[in-house]
């Protein structure tokens, strides 16, 4: 879920910028420091949008810059457990599909895609059913539920988000549209 949150952090202003300790300068330094980083409490920092307060600077021994505590607003993405999200398949591998959900990717394991068995088709970079014409490949739009979440702040690339699409109303958008049309025909 995307959120706008108020945060505090310390930022180092290098000596060459000490004459220009403005909200714009501090915002740029915070953006360089925080955007793309993961935090256990707030999730992934997508953007620093506004600086509200810059505290007094502090000089540390043997450090050339001056450190300022700043209060600011940031847009973050923090996937909630059991949240239903739409995403796009970014990679297909033997054991499933990686789905881009916001600024991070989650794993949709092959056992969590469908009740049908889907085999890996490496030549076409897709998972395909041998029983029906269902396939799942790169750039396919999907609706999934977040079922596991393990955030690694030190190494965000090692964070793990587990997804499922086996519940009603979840799956590849194309499959959901076909199911809806089929229900409409049955009711008519």
């Amino acid at each position: 879920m995307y959120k706008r949150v108020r945060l505090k952090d310390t930022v180092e202003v290098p000596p060459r910028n000490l004459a220009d300790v403005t909200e714009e300068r501090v915002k740029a330094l915070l953006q360089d420091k925080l955007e793309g980083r993961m935090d256990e409490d707030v999730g992934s920092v997508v953007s620093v949008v506004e600086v509200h307060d810059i505290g007094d600077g502090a000089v540390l021994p043997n450090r050339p810059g001056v450190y300022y505590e700043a209060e600011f607003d940031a847009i973050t993405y923090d996937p909630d457990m059991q949240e239903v999200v739409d995403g796009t398949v970014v990679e297909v591998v033997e054991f499933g599909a990686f789905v881009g959900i916001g600024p991070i990717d989650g794993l949709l394991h092959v056992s969590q895609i469908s009740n049908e068995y889907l085999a890996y088709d490496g030549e076409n970079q897709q998972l395909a059913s041998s029983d029906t014409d269902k396939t799942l490949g790169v750039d396919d739009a999907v609706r999934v539920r977040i079922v596991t979440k393990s955030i690694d702040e030190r190494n965000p690339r090692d964070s793990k988000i587990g997804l499922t699409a086996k519940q009603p109303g979840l799956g590849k958008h194309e499959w959901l549209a076909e199911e809806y049309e089929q229900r409409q025909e049955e009711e008519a």
Side-chain angles (χ1 to χ4, degrees):
M1 175 180 303
Y2 286 96
K3 300 174 187 170
R4 183 177 178 136
V5 295
R6 178 91 29 115
L7 301 171
K8 282 186 180 182
D9 200 352
T10 303
V11 64
E12 178 186 8
V13 177
R16 68 180 176 279
N17 298 121
L18 289 176
D20 183 32
V21 182
T22 62
E23 289 181 359
E24 291 78 28
R25 170 69 59 202
V26 170
K27 178 180 172 183
L29 292 168
L30 286 167
Q31 287 170 330
D32 288 344
K33 178 181 179 184
L34 299 175
E35 288 180 0
R37 298 273 171 95
M38 294 289 279
D39 180 274
E40 185 79 34
D41 297 322
V42 299
S44 177
V45 177
V46 177
S47 179
V48 174
V49 292
E50 184 179 1
V51 175
H52 294 287
D53 184 44
I54 303 169
D56 294 332
V59 178
L60 300 178
N62 300 321
R63 305 290 285 195
V66 177
Y67 293 82
Y68 292 87
E69 185 171 283
E71 185 175 311
F72 58 95
D73 286 349
I75 303 297
T76 62
Y77 180 76
D78 188 18
D80 290 331
M81 291 292 292
Q82 304 306 319
E83 180 180 5
V84 174
V85 295
D86 287 315
T88 304
V89 175
V90 295
E91 183 182 4
V92 177
V93 292
E94 286 186 43
F95 53 86
F98 288 96
V99 178
I101 52 170
I104 59 177
D105 296 342
L107 173 63
L108 182 57
H109 190 270
V110 68
S111 67
Q112 294 297 311
I113 296 173
S114 168
N115 288 329
E116 297 178 34
Y117 174 73
L118 297 176
Y120 178 65
D121 177 1
E123 186 176 314
N124 296 310
Q125 282 292 293
Q126 65 182 9
L127 295 166
S129 170
S130 56
D131 300 331
T132 64
D133 62 349
K134 283 186 175 182
T135 62
L136 184 68
V138 174
D139 293 331
D140 285 345
V142 293
R143 178 166 296 141
V144 294
R145 180 181 305 276
I146 297 168
V147 292
T148 60
K149 175 175 118 172
S150 174
I151 303 298
D152 187 336
E153 292 178 34
R154 290 199 175 130
N155 203 352
R157 302 294 294 159
D158 289 341
S159 295
K160 294 175 178 49
I161 307 294
L163 308 170
T164 187
K166 278 185 101 167
Q167 299 163 344
L170 303 179
K172 182 176 172 180
H173 285 188
E174 182 182 309
W175 303 340
L176 297 174
E178 288 170 4
E179 289 172 13
Y180 177 78
E181 288 174 16
Q182 189 177 26
R183 280 196 310 273
Q184 294 301 313
E185 289 174 6
E186 291 171 1
E187 291 176 3

